[in-house]
C-alpha cells in the first residue's frame, strides 16, 4: 500500500511539472522591428572558437579584464551589426585565428558594408525567435551571417568566414533611429 501511495505521489508531481510555452502574439513589437529592416544589433560579448593558440594568448594575460577565452566582454566597445533596408553593415571585433594568409592592411575585425546575398528571414514559432541569414563579401573575406532575434530583444549572431575561424556574439537589438 505504501509503495502504491508513493508511486501515485511521484506520478502527480511529475505531471504538475510540465513546462509552459510562452507564445508571443502576432502583435508583439518584435514582429514590427524585424519587418521594418531597420535593426541595430549591439554585441555585449564575443564567443570565439577556442583553439590552442587562443588559449596561449589567454594564458599570457592579453584578454580584457573580466573575460575568459571562451567569452570576451565587449561592453562599451562601439561594435554593431546593422540591417537597414536592403543593406547591411558591421564593425565587430574579431578574436580567433586566420586560416589562410591575409594581406597587409586587411581589417583585423569583421567589417563590411554592402548588399547581402541570399538574405532570408523567418519566424520560428516553435522556438519563438526570428532567424535571419545572409552572405556578404568584402575585398578580404566572405562572411556567412546567422542571426537569432528573440522577443526580449536579445540576439545571437554567428559569423562564419572563408579565411578565419567562426565566432559568435551575444547582444541586444534596437531599432535604428531615423537620424543615423
Amino acid at each position: 500500500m505504501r509503495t502504491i501511495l508513493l508511486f501515485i505521489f511521484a506520478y502527480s508531481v511529475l505531471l504538475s511539472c510540465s513546462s509552459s510555452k510562452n507564445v508571443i502574439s502576432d502583435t508583439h513589437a518584435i514582429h514590427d522591428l524585424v519587418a521594418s529592416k531597420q535593426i541595430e544589433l549591439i554585441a555585449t560579448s564575443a564567443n570565439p572558437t577556442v583553439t590552442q593558440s587562443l588559449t596561449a594568448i589567454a594564458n599570457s594575460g592579453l584578454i580584457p579584464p573580466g573575460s575568459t577565452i571562451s567569452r570576451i566582454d565587449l561592453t562599451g566597445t562601439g561594435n554593431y551589426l546593422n540591417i537597414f533596408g536592403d543593406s547591411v553593415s558591421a564593425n565587430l571585433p574579431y578574436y580567433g585565428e586566420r586560416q589562410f594568409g591575409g594581406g597587409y592592411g586587411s581589417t583585423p575585425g569583421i567589417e563590411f558594408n554592402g548588399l547581402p546575398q541570399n538574405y532570408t528571414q523567418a519566424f520560428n514559432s516553435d522556438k519563438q525567435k526570428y532567424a535571419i541569414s545572409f552572405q556578404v563579401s568584402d575585398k578580404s573575406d566572405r562572411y556567412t551571417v546567422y542571426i537569432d532575434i528573440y522577443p526580449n530583444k536579445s540576439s545571437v549572431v554567428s559569423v562564419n568566414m572563408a579565411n578565419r575561424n567562426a565566432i559568435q556574439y551575444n547582444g541586444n537589438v534596437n531599432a535604428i533611429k531615423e537620424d543615423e
Side-chain angles (χ1 to χ4, degrees):
M1 179 70 174
R2 188 176 198 188
T3 308
I4 294 173
L5 287 175
L6 187 59
F7 177 75
I8 291 172
F9 175 74
Y11 185 73
S12 64
V13 168
L14 288 175
L15 284 179
S16 66
C17 291
S18 66
S19 65
S20 63
K21 191 172 191 176
N22 238 355
V23 178
I24 65 170
S25 70
D26 291 340
T27 59
H28 194 280
I30 198 68
H31 297 299
D32 292 335
L33 176 65
V34 174
S36 74
K37 285 191 174 181
Q38 298 293 316
I39 304 169
E40 176 182 50
L41 296 101
I42 304 295
T44 55
S45 66
N47 306 315
T49 303
V50 179
T51 62
Q52 187 174 4
S53 299
L54 217 50
T55 303
I57 290 171
N59 290 340
S60 66
L62 293 175
I63 60 171
S67 299
T68 64
I69 195 57
S70 61
R71 186 192 170 283
I72 298 172
D73 185 23
L74 299 178
T75 307
T77 60
N79 62 77
Y80 65 87
L81 188 151
N82 290 340
I83 299 171
F84 46 98
D86 293 335
S87 299
V88 293
S89 66
N91 185 358
L92 298 166
Y94 178 75
Y95 300 91
E97 289 183 35
R98 179 175 292 278
Q99 298 302 315
F100 301 103
Y104 289 107
S106 12
T107 60
I110 296 173
E111 296 179 20
F112 55 80
N113 188 9
L115 298 174
Q117 300 167 343
N118 304 321
Y119 184 94
T120 62
Q121 75 181 33
F123 183 71
N124 184 330
S125 57
D126 290 339
K127 296 184 179 180
Q128 295 293 296
K129 68 176 183 178
Y130 269 96
I132 299 173
S133 66
F134 60 87
Q135 292 149 351
V136 64
S137 298
D138 67 4
K139 60 185 173 191
S140 64
D141 217 334
R142 177 167 178 80
Y143 305 98
T144 302
V145 180
Y146 301 98
I147 304 169
D148 290 334
I149 299 175
Y150 298 92
N152 65 355
K153 294 189 175 181
S154 66
S155 64
V156 177
V157 177
S158 300
V159 183
N160 296 331
M161 293 150 282
N163 299 322
R164 297 185 266 183
N165 287 348
I167 189 167
Q168 187 177 57
Y169 300 92
N170 296 320
N172 301 306
V173 177
N174 297 306
I176 295 176
K177 296 171 186 61
E178 291 295 323
D179 59 332
E180 289 185 5

